[in-house]
């Protein structure tokens, strides 16, 4: 089981945290990973100047913007590089 944490602190929220969450929810469903990947909202990872901060378990924070969310998911969750 992997957990993806998406920052919903004020800076990331303004940069589209909820769009990232919706996109990740959709990708999890499309790939039938509902029992393997869990999505959680968290507050501020101290990485506020970059695009939306995301962690996977204890890895990251990664900076993910809307256009890169699918690539991010493929690389870090599905594991194709
Ligand atoms: S608000 Fe997201 S890292 Fe600070």
């Amino acid at each position: 089981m992997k957990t993806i944490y998406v920052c919903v602190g004020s800076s990331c929220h303004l940069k589209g945290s909820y769009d990232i969450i919706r996109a990740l929810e959709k990708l999890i469903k499309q790939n039938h990973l509902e029992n393997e990947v869990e999505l959680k909202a968290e507050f501020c990872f101290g990485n506020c100047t970059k695009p939306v901060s995301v962690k996977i378990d204890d890895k990251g924070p990664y900076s993910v913007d809307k256009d890169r969310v699918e690539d991010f998911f493929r690389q870090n969750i599905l594991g194709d590089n």
Side-chain angles (χ1 to χ4, degrees), residues 7-13 44-48 53:
C7 177
V8 293
S10 49
S11 173
C12 290
H13 176 82
C44 199
F45 300 146
N47 190 40
C48 319
S53 297

Side-chain angles (χ1 to χ4, degrees), residues 14-72:
L14 290 174
K15 290 179 206 152
S17 299
Y18 286 96
D19 293 332
I20 302 290
I21 290 174
R22 272 192 292 271
L24 288 170
E25 271 169 353
K26 198 167 142 195
L27 287 160
I28 290 169
K29 271 199 193 131
Q30 278 171 355
N31 290 282
H32 311 290
L33 293 173
E34 292 94 332
N35 295 324
E36 284 162 60
V37 181
E38 159 180 58
L39 199 53
K40 288 191 176 175
E42 280 275 333
F43 287 101
C44 199
F45 300 146
N47 190 40
C48 319
T49 55
K50 307 242 177 84
V52 178
S53 297
V54 175
K55 281 188 181 176
I56 299 173
D57 296 327
D58 55 0
K59 285 190 271 166
Y62 304 96
S63 299
V64 183
D65 61 33
K66 252 201 306 192
D67 303 332
R68 278 206 54 242
V69 65
E70 193 163 343
D71 286 346
F72 171 80

